Amino acid sequence: MRLTCKEWVLTALLGVTAASALTTLILILVEATDVLLPTDTKFGVVLDAGSSHTSLFVYRWPADKENDTGVVSQALACRVTGPGLSSYASDPAQAGESLEGCLEEALAVIPAAQHQQTPMFLGATAGMRLLSQKNSSQAAAIFAAVTQALGRAPLDFWGAELLPGQDEGAFGWITINYVLGLLVKCSFSGEWIRPPEGTLVGALDLGGASTQITFVPGGPVQDKSTQATFRLYGFEHSVYTHSYPCFGRSEMLNRLLAQLVQRSPSHLVRHPCYHSGYQDTLSLAHLFESPCVQATALPHLPPNLTVEGTGNPRACVSAIRELFNFSSCEGRGDCAFNGVYQPPVLGPFYAFSSFYYTFHFLNLTSGQSLATANTTVWEFCQKTWRQVEEAAAGQDSQLRDYCASGLYILTLLVDGYGFSERTWPSIEFRKQADGTDIGWTLGYMLNLTKMIPAEAPAQWRAQSYGVWVAGVTFVVLTLGAILTAAAALLLWPRD
């Protein structure tokens, strides 16, 4: 059958339409695949070498979303068996060997094909900072043993280093705000926008040897030594941050006991923060080894002492307050304690590490008021040792110290940092945020591996989206034009 001229033109137009549409569709699908389909997952490993123990964390994130918010997730949290690295001063090799169990777990989580491309870091905090201050050669030996052990792993080991206290606080702040999605948001048009700064969360960290406070103040930071500035997702963030060595939970307990020991006129020390009915014999050798403990007039003391609890929260608070120098800040609205500059606390806060563990034990992590927290801790301190043991079924090795820790936290947060009945509700005591353990490790990894790049990925994503939209528009317009032409041909009168 022979086609007429009009039918031939119509057929040719439809053929060109189909070919153009198919070609464009292929290009769109290729571009859309780049934008929409999941890509390879990347991994990172960070070890937190704290004063009381070491933890290993494995993080993962989609490779094509490294500038997005909340894409990093925690794949593994492993607590290393044994004490903190600083406890291996007399046997450095054991410090390295202690990490092998958690390292094996990390290698099992990360695909073998990605081992060599996976960065791994170890950051040591206040425990090792104190050991470095006391005996630098012992600290160096521990770092050498750890470096050797981790260097044998088939990962991209970036080294082990001493993490300054200020960085510890600042990285913890990054972690919380990153996980909560408060640092950046992607708009509908594909552009990165900065959330209102008022939504950012402050960080309160209580470790074994030090404590840190970090937040965005209401005005400029007057003491620049307490200021940290970051460029995150292309936006500048300036925070107040300070770390207090020797004010961590373990060192506070040591300092408190040493203070009572040195004031005791006999071999029996009465401890107001221990529950009535508690009694134990303690060795003094380890107590006075810490650089945080100021030993005076020890010749009259025997190597061992009997410590007896009295369960007196009022006397306990009085003894704890003597660990601070509050008089150095009298009359100053921008001072915490020990003469340290601090602007007034502002905004919501997450309190983690020992802040959380202590208040979790005391059932004070559900938004209770300051008055309720005070009453709860005081009532707990007044319980007898038998009552406390029976309630806990003897399962908690820290049982003896929760009274002192609870009263210390209240003193630190209220008398030290300046929280009040009004601002206390702004504190959330948390272990995790959005399924991720809170601490400095994620912020440390993001900072050192540059996992928080500038806007390049966002620009690429916006361009990709633009190409995709342009392609769809082209197809629609082309089809519309050709179909219009076809309709016109069909309506022509026959010859």
Side-chain angles (χ1 to χ4, degrees):
M1 174 177 145
R2 189 167 179 172
L3 298 175
T4 66
C5 178
K6 288 182 288 183
E7 290 171 335
W8 185 89
V9 171
L10 176 60
T11 302
L13 285 171
L14 292 176
V16 170
T17 300
S20 299
L22 180 61
T23 302
T24 306
L25 181 60
I26 292 173
L27 292 174
I28 292 171
L29 289 176
V30 170
E31 187 67 31
T33 299
D34 288 341
V35 175
L36 302 177
L37 294 183
T39 58
D40 293 337
T41 298
K42 291 188 176 183
F43 294 85
V45 179
V46 183
L47 291 98
D48 174 5
S51 57
S52 58
H53 68 275
T54 299
S55 294
L56 179 148
F57 297 94
V58 177
Y59 299 107
R60 60 187 170 201
W61 60 93
D64 69 335
K65 292 185 178 181
E66 57 193 26
N67 197 32
D68 204 351
T69 303
V71 295
V72 173
S73 60
Q74 184 174 293
L76 174 70
C78 180
R79 178 163 176 155
V80 172
T81 302
L85 294 184
S86 58
S87 301
Y88 295 102
S90 59
D91 189 5
Q94 189 65 30
E97 294 174 10
S98 70
L99 307 177
E100 293 176 358
C102 283
L103 188 56
E104 289 179 4
E105 290 192 36
L107 294 175
V109 169
I110 304 168
Q114 293 181 250
H115 282 178
Q116 293 185 351
Q117 291 78 43
T118 297
M120 176 171 62
F121 321 98
L122 181 142
T125 56
M128 285 297 291
R129 287 198 291 267
L130 291 176
L131 180 61
S132 297
Q133 175 185 334
K134 176 185 174 183
N135 192 319
S136 58
S137 61
Q138 287 183 336
I142 291 175
F143 274 120
V146 166
T147 298
Q148 185 177 20
L150 296 179
R152 289 194 296 264
L155 302 177
D156 183 15
F157 180 49
W158 280 43
E161 64 180 56
L162 205 60
L163 194 68
Q166 188 169 0
D167 288 353
E168 185 178 358
F171 291 146
W173 181 89
I174 292 176
T175 295
I176 294 172
N177 288 281
Y178 178 82
V179 172
L180 293 177
L182 301 177
L183 294 178
V184 70
K185 290 183 179 180
C186 188
S187 68
F188 181 76
S189 63
E191 296 180 354
W192 295 109
I193 59 175
R194 183 176 183 175
E197 199 159 282
T199 64
L200 295 173
V201 173
L204 298 167
D205 183 5
L206 179 61
S210 66
T211 186
Q212 287 75 230
I213 178 172
T214 307
F215 64 98
V216 178
V221 177
Q222 301 300 323
D223 183 350
K224 298 307 178 183
S225 68
T226 63
Q227 183 178 28
T229 302
F230 309 99
R231 185 170 178 80
L232 307 174
Y233 300 99
F235 301 115
E236 293 287 340
H237 293 277
S238 181
V239 298
Y240 167 86
T241 183
H242 188 75
S243 176
Y244 293 88
C246 300
F247 280 85
R249 179 181 180 275
S250 297
E251 291 300 333
M252 176 278 297
L253 293 171
N254 285 338
R255 293 168 59 210
L256 180 60
L257 179 57
Q259 172 183 281
L260 296 171
V261 165
Q262 292 179 92
R263 293 180 179 178
S264 175
S266 67
H267 297 171
L268 176 64
V269 177
R270 297 187 183 277
H271 202 310
C273 307
Y274 293 168
H275 298 273
S276 59
Y278 175 86
Q279 190 175 84
D280 196 10
T281 300
L282 303 178
S283 171
L284 297 181
H286 176 71
L287 179 63
F288 290 96
E289 287 179 355
S290 170
C292 295
V293 176
Q294 302 297 321
T296 59
L298 292 181
H300 70 285
L301 296 176
N304 297 304
L305 278 179
T306 299
V307 180
E308 182 180 276
T310 62
N312 186 337
R314 187 177 302 280
C316 179
V317 170
S318 179
I320 287 173
R321 286 183 58 85
E322 292 185 34
L323 302 178
F324 297 81
N325 181 356
F326 290 122
S327 62
S328 60
C329 289
E330 287 182 0
R332 293 177 54 187
D334 60 353
C335 187
F337 57 92
N338 290 17
V340 175
Y341 162 81
Q342 180 197 298
V345 292
L346 180 68
F349 281 81
Y350 269 36
F352 51 98
S353 299
S354 286
F355 282 123
Y356 168 80
Y357 292 115
T358 300
F359 270 34
H360 175 70
F361 174 84
L362 296 167
N363 294 318
L364 289 172
T365 58
S366 302
Q368 290 89 341
S369 67
L370 176 58
T372 299
N374 265 306
T375 300
T376 301
V377 177
W378 276 58
E379 289 179 351
F380 173 75
C381 291
Q382 291 172 323
K383 291 182 178 180
T384 66
W385 179 239
R386 175 174 292 183
Q387 289 175 319
V388 172
E389 279 192 307
E390 288 176 352
Q395 298 298 314
D396 197 325
S397 61
Q398 307 293 326
L399 198 57
R400 178 194 69 183
D401 297 318
Y402 282 117
C403 169
S405 298
L407 292 175
Y408 173 68
I409 287 173
L410 291 169
T411 303
L412 174 63
L413 294 181
V414 177
D415 299 325
Y417 293 154
F419 287 94
S420 63
E421 188 73 49
R422 180 182 61 83
T423 56
W424 182 267
S426 68
I427 307 174
E428 292 193 44
F429 294 87
R430 297 287 191 91
K431 177 185 178 183
Q432 291 188 329
D434 197 25
T436 299
D437 284 20
I438 302 175
W440 60 266
T441 52
L442 176 55
Y444 179 77
M445 184 195 74
L446 293 172
N447 185 70
L448 291 190
T449 61
K450 305 306 178 186
M451 290 307 303
I452 305 178
E455 296 89 335
Q459 292 172 347
W460 179 88
R461 217 178 256 103
Q463 291 166 1
S464 298
Y465 177 75
V467 171
W468 188 82
V469 172
V472 172
T473 304
F474 171 76
V475 170
V476 172
L477 292 177
T478 301
L479 286 174
I482 294 177
L483 290 174
T484 300
L489 284 171
L490 289 174
L491 292 175
W492 282 354
R494 291 184 176 272
D495 292 335

